[in-house]
Amino acid sequence: MAIKIDLRSDTVTKPTAGMLAAMMAAKVGDDVFGEDETVHQLETKLAGMFNMEAGLFCPSGTMTNQIAIKCFTQPMDEVICDQSAHVYRYEGGGIAYHSMASVRLLHGPRGIISPELIEPEINEQNIHYPNSSLVVLENTVNKGGGACYHLAQIEPIHTLCNIKGLKLHLDGARIFNALVATGNSAKHYGQYFDGISVCLSKGLGAPVGSVLLGSKETIKKAVKIRKAFGGGMRQSGFLAAAGIYALDNHVDRMSVDHDHAKALAGILNQVSYVASVMPVETNIVIFEIAKGYNTENIVHLFAEKGIACGTTGPRTVRMVTHLDISSEMIDRALEIILHLNPSPHK
Ligand SMILES: *Cc1c(COP(=O)(O)O)cnc(C)c1O
């Protein structure tokens, strides 16, 4: 078989030679003792970029999100988010388990929610009702095919939360994809959110890690919760160094991933086995298989030709572009997509 084109997720990237060199050169210490200067440098750097007071390096995006939710809720509270949200669907029921909170689900177009959708779902003070205390946004929306919020859409949500006394958290697993696509600047984000999770191991291409950003007070609380979650790490500066390298070298190039995703969508829109493709804004392409074709069969045929991808539902397939996908691989993928000849009713 020829080259393997792994479009399953932007988590599959391996560290580049430059990144490995930066990791090897990192100055480290025991971060649970607060003595790892590289971890501290990463946390400070990201907090500065987003105009937030402080940061906390954690092993995963699930952990930064779940710590934030625990910081911003009490047991019996309610979290408001879209039905597609990663914090609700893909974090193992963590909101109930860690925070003992319930969830109110909204149905935004491609997972993008608005004050008009949020406001009617905020509970009045009444002993019958859970206390609405937190809104979570996701940018970009994974299950929404990489759809982005612009700052202009976030600002009125922030205003509503402020008036109603709710906290606002951002699941920014792919926030840099959103910043590159919208041209918005990270430094305007801090004023709107109480917490921001930034993943280093998605489009940025680091092997591990996510940073939670917030006020000094929030991060002080978060350090304690991270410890209780088992997420306190020791000489984690080796991993933090990969994150710093990624922030310095892998942000601007994300536009290449976005161009690659648009090229994939362009050809998918032309083939008969695809019914529709979600508009591509960033590095995620989600498409619906046409009636009469079998989704699993198509994913299997792609795999035989060298394209690895996955399903997001019974009729939908997802392809994600990233750092380890070259333009040559995209050219090859376009040919495979164009010439794939699945038989209907199989
Ligand atoms: C990947 C992802 C996360 C975090 O996932 P981990 O695998 O725990 O790092 C959070 N939110 C979204 C939208 C994601 O895609």
Side-chain angles (χ1 to χ4, degrees):
M1 192 198 286
I3 46 170
K4 171 148 183 216
I5 306 162
D6 195 344
L7 299 172
R8 287 172 302 163
S9 173
D10 46 6
T11 55
V12 301
T13 56
K14 310 227 168 96
T16 61
M19 183 179 279
L20 282 171
M23 293 169 76
M24 294 293 280
K27 292 199 173 68
V28 300
D30 190 322
D31 184 56
V32 174
F33 296 165
E35 291 172 2
D36 192 302
E37 58 185 278
T38 308
V39 169
H40 188 245
Q41 197 190 328
L42 170 67
E43 292 169 343
T44 311
K45 183 181 174 79
L46 261 175
M49 287 172 85
F50 284 82
N51 223 345
M52 302 282 272
E53 283 177 7
L56 185 67
F57 183 46
C58 294
S60 72
T62 298
M63 191 180 283
T64 49
N65 282 333
Q66 292 297 322
I67 290 174
I69 292 165
K70 192 147 180 68
C71 282
F72 300 138
T73 60
Q74 294 292 322
M76 305 188 286
D77 279 1
E78 190 156 84
V79 177
I80 299 174
C81 62
D82 189 75
Q83 57 80 27
S84 65
H86 193 280
V87 294
Y88 168 70
R89 281 188 183 256
Y90 303 117
E91 299 189 4
I95 296 178
Y97 186 63
H98 301 299
S99 297
M100 293 182 264
S102 59
V103 184
R104 184 77 68 99
L105 297 177
L106 309 183
H107 291 80
R110 301 179 67 200
I112 300 283
I113 59 177
S114 59
E116 292 68 37
L117 292 174
I118 298 165
E119 189 162 8
E121 307 300 330
I122 299 174
N123 289 331
E124 298 300 325
Q125 292 290 337
N126 178 314
I127 60 157
H128 295 88
Y129 304 152
N131 176 40
S132 310
S133 61
L134 174 65
V135 173
V136 179
L137 306 183
E138 190 173 301
N139 199 15
T140 69
V141 185
N142 179 359
K143 222 176 147 53
C148 302
Y149 285 88
H150 287 252
L151 272 172
Q153 294 167 285
I154 294 171
E155 198 212 330
I157 297 176
H158 160 76
T159 304
L160 174 67
C161 289
N162 223 11
I163 292 169
K164 298 283 184 179
L166 276 73
K167 301 279 193 197
L168 184 58
H169 174 68
L170 175 65
D171 176 353
R174 295 189 180 82
I175 184 60
F176 281 101
N177 293 95
L179 293 173
V180 166
T182 59
N184 288 155
S185 159
K187 72 172 191 287
H188 297 307
Y189 264 74
Q191 63 190 309
Y192 296 130
F193 290 100
D194 297 286
I196 302 180
S197 298
V198 180
C199 282
L200 304 166
S201 64
K202 296 270 167 77
L204 286 172
V208 175
S210 175
V211 177
L212 176 62
L213 304 175
S215 67
K216 279 187 186 141
E217 199 187 335
T218 296
I219 296 303
K220 194 171 168 210
K221 207 167 158 188
V223 173
K224 178 79 202 267
I225 298 168
R226 184 186 65 174
K227 188 68 195 156
F229 280 3
M233 298 182 285
R234 303 295 178 171
Q235 286 73 32
S236 38
F238 291 118
L239 298 172
I244 293 169
Y245 182 89
L247 290 170
D248 290 340
N249 295 280
H250 294 165
V251 173
D252 292 341
R253 64 151 303 286
M254 277 179 173
S255 60
V256 173
D257 298 341
H258 300 175
D259 290 344
H260 285 165
K262 287 190 183 107
L264 291 172
I267 211 87
L268 285 162
N269 266 316
Q270 292 174 26
V271 295
S272 58
Y273 56 91
V274 172
S276 64
V277 185
M278 275 193 196
V280 170
E281 294 178 33
T282 53
N283 69 328
I284 300 178
V285 188
I286 294 181
F287 54 96
E288 193 186 337
I289 299 302
K291 266 207 187 76
Y293 292 92
N294 179 298
T295 311
E296 294 299 336
N297 177 242
I298 286 172
V299 170
H300 178 76
L301 290 176
F302 275 137
E304 277 184 351
K305 302 284 179 193
I307 297 179
C309 56
T311 59
T312 62
R315 307 291 311 159
T316 50
V317 175
R318 187 181 80 155
M319 293 180 175
V320 187
T321 58
H322 51 77
L323 189 58
D324 288 359
I325 297 295
S326 64
S327 296
E328 292 71 39
M329 288 176 178
I330 291 295
D331 289 344
R332 177 79 190 117
L334 298 181
E335 269 177 50
I336 294 169
I337 292 167
L338 193 61
H339 296 118
L340 198 80
N341 196 14
S343 30
H345 308 293
K346 207 175 172 189

